[in-house]
Amino acid sequence: MFALTEKTLPHGKKLYSVARLLQALVLVEAVETVNRSPLLGNLTLGYHIVDTCSDVTTAVAVTHRYLDDFNSVCSQEEDMDKSSSESSPANHDSRPGPGHFRSHHVVVGGYHSEISIAVARQLSIKQIPQISYGSTTGILSDKSRFPAFMRTVPEDNYQAQAIVDILVGHGWDWVGLVTTDGDYGRYAAQRFQLHAEKQGICISFSVVLPDILDDTELKDGIRSTVRHLEDNPKVRAVVSFAKPDHMMYIMQELTDNATGRVWIASDNWATSSRVLLNRNLSDVGTIVGVTLKSADTTRFQTYLDGLDPDPAAHQNNTILRQYLWSEGKDMTQPELGAALKKKIYPYAVFSVGLAVRAIARAVANLCANRDCRGGNNFKPWEVSAVWAVGW
């Protein structure tokens, strides 16, 4: 699950995210790398990429379709097992042939915590494992509510503490706080306020922006943020757990009396290239960002340099084909690779790649002494059991 598109103001149009496309391509490259390695023997991993549109409702609908397919596969397997028990073993092979009754065993994603929470609630009913490469809210650490959820990024309590350490180290004890009204924003802000209070940091104002970009109240929240900055010249630093597009709109609205501050950026927007849009950094102040553990991107860059720029060459990768037909139209190599490499987020290369490797090692463990060809002879919940022991 990848948030490949997102609705934007003012008309709710969909914005195609090249950065999210690259996250999906990290998964593709990581799967291909694992399949070329000796780790899985004669097995290979497959994948099916879906767009959540950065929207909880869309993600839930996608998950419902997945669960319908999963239930159908389970019903077919139960019928097959029943038939097998009533037949002579010598005359009946209970293993379906290649391509039959194949189901997805693990869900990778989502990126936003709100989406992962909604999806995890559904997947947990069937004990289907989910591994997120970007959801950091602490709520998801509750194993009584989300027993099948794992992630390759740290929860927000650590980030909140790191931000407080930055403020203390620079003597910024009078700050503003901006966040979004979602599970990620509320939890991160709450943990930050807790740690800030312990260090004697005063939060002069706190603004909670609507999580959805086409919410009619978002403009009011942005104006309120700017007014607070104008009315509180003592506030030298502003901590923000908002999303990149929220911050883009705030930066565009900053007046002369609201600029010149230090913005402490959470991992949500610290590395976003679109926050400043048509403004210079000197126009808004200083930005200090907190980001997640990153990886060497050399291998992934080589993969991008090797992509065929012809859309027709990617019949099995509709998201890449769509990009090449629109954004990448008429590009050739090395122009295509150079354009894509500008949007790489090194932390995503690490977290998405780690998710794929975790799945591959679990499958290798489960299938060491059984025939798993065609995705059979092990259940999704067994992947979670392996992670529970060795994560």
Side-chain angles (χ1 to χ4, degrees):
M1 288 185 171
F2 293 88
L4 300 172
T5 55
E6 186 168 10
K7 286 184 178 180
T8 59
L9 289 175
H11 303 298
K13 295 188 347 184
K14 282 189 176 181
L15 175 69
Y16 190 78
S17 173
V18 178
R20 300 288 181 251
L21 164 67
L22 286 171
Q23 289 182 350
L25 291 180
V26 170
L27 180 137
V28 174
E29 189 276 333
V31 169
E32 292 179 358
T33 299
V34 165
N35 287 342
R36 289 194 301 268
S37 75
L39 177 62
L40 296 177
N42 62 352
L43 300 177
T44 56
L45 297 181
Y47 55 86
H48 179 198
I49 295 173
V50 296
D51 182 12
T52 65
C53 303
S54 302
D55 176 64
V56 172
T57 303
T58 302
V60 169
V62 168
T63 307
H64 272 307
R65 289 198 295 271
Y66 163 64
L67 289 175
D68 286 343
D69 291 342
F70 177 81
N71 291 333
S72 175
V73 169
C74 290
S75 298
Q76 289 171 323
E77 288 179 343
E78 288 173 2
D79 291 342
M80 182 181 62
D81 291 340
K82 181 179 179 181
S83 175
S84 175
S85 66
E86 295 171 350
S87 305
S88 169
N91 297 324
H92 184 84
D93 186 354
S94 64
R95 293 174 298 179
H100 292 283
F101 306 154
R102 184 170 295 171
S103 64
H104 302 75
H105 289 76
V106 182
V107 172
V108 177
Y111 175 74
H112 297 302
S113 294
E114 296 78 17
I115 288 176
S116 287
I117 289 171
V119 170
R121 284 174 176 148
Q122 297 179 82
L123 296 181
S124 294
I125 296 173
K126 295 291 183 180
Q127 296 184 324
I128 297 171
Q130 174 186 3
I131 182 166
S132 171
Y133 51 87
S135 299
T136 52
T137 183
I139 297 169
L140 287 162
S141 296
D142 187 348
K143 287 301 179 183
S144 65
R145 296 168 61 190
F146 308 106
F149 179 84
M150 301 294 285
R151 56 182 157 198
T152 57
V153 288
E155 71 130 287
D156 286 319
N157 184 59
Y158 299 104
Q159 179 174 204
Q161 180 62 68
I163 290 174
V164 168
D165 291 343
I166 292 172
L167 296 174
V168 171
H170 288 82
W172 297 324
D173 56 2
W174 194 264
V175 303
L177 175 62
V178 179
T179 189
T180 47
D181 189 22
D183 293 296
Y184 164 83
R186 285 195 299 268
Y187 179 81
Q190 184 265 327
R191 299 309 298 175
F192 168 75
Q193 289 169 322
L194 177 68
H195 293 302
E197 183 180 353
K198 291 179 180 178
Q199 295 296 328
I201 295 173
C202 176
I203 299 175
S204 176
F205 66 86
S206 178
V207 177
V208 180
L209 301 172
D211 197 54
I212 302 174
L213 287 174
D214 57 1
D215 192 304
T216 56
E217 296 181 2
L218 179 56
K219 289 184 179 180
D220 292 336
I222 292 171
R223 294 192 190 100
S224 175
T225 302
V226 174
R227 283 197 301 271
H228 279 302
L229 289 169
E230 293 173 333
D231 296 340
N232 293 276
K234 289 177 59 179
V235 172
R236 303 307 308 157
V238 184
V239 176
S240 173
F241 296 100
K243 292 178 179 178
D245 285 314
H246 292 75
M247 291 307 305
M248 178 180 68
Y249 294 124
I250 288 176
M251 296 302 181
Q252 298 310 302
E253 294 294 324
L254 290 179
T255 62
D256 290 342
N257 291 334
T259 58
R261 315 301 168 87
V262 177
W263 292 87
I264 311 296
S266 73
D267 68 288
N268 215 13
W269 64 280
T271 56
S272 175
S273 60
R274 65 179 186 269
V275 167
L276 292 178
L277 196 59
N278 56 2
R279 301 200 69 166
N280 296 319
L281 183 58
S282 57
D283 294 336
V284 300
T286 302
I287 298 177
V288 177
V290 176
T291 188
L292 305 174
K293 182 179 176 64
S294 299
D296 183 352
T297 64
T298 303
R299 192 182 71 200
F300 184 56
Q301 291 188 51
T302 301
Y303 170 81
L304 295 178
D305 286 332
L307 287 177
D308 192 327
D310 182 5
H314 305 283
Q315 295 301 316
N316 292 330
N317 192 334
T318 56
I319 58 170
L320 179 57
R321 191 169 74 245
Q322 178 185 347
Y323 169 77
L324 293 173
W325 274 120
S326 55
E327 305 286 331
K329 193 173 184 179
D330 300 326
M331 280 189 182
T332 60
Q333 286 289 20
E335 184 183 6
L336 173 62
L340 291 174
K341 285 187 287 188
K342 292 178 181 178
K343 300 290 186 178
I344 293 177
Y345 290 163
Y347 81 86
V349 175
F350 175 81
S351 58
V352 176
L354 181 58
V356 172
R357 292 191 296 275
I359 294 168
R361 292 188 179 279
V363 172
N365 182 297
L366 290 170
C367 300
N369 298 304
R370 63 176 104 172
D371 185 357
C372 296
R373 286 175 296 180
N376 303 296
N377 277 358
F378 75 92
K379 304 296 183 184
W381 64 263
E382 292 184 272
V383 176
S384 295
V386 172
W387 287 344
V389 173
W391 187 256

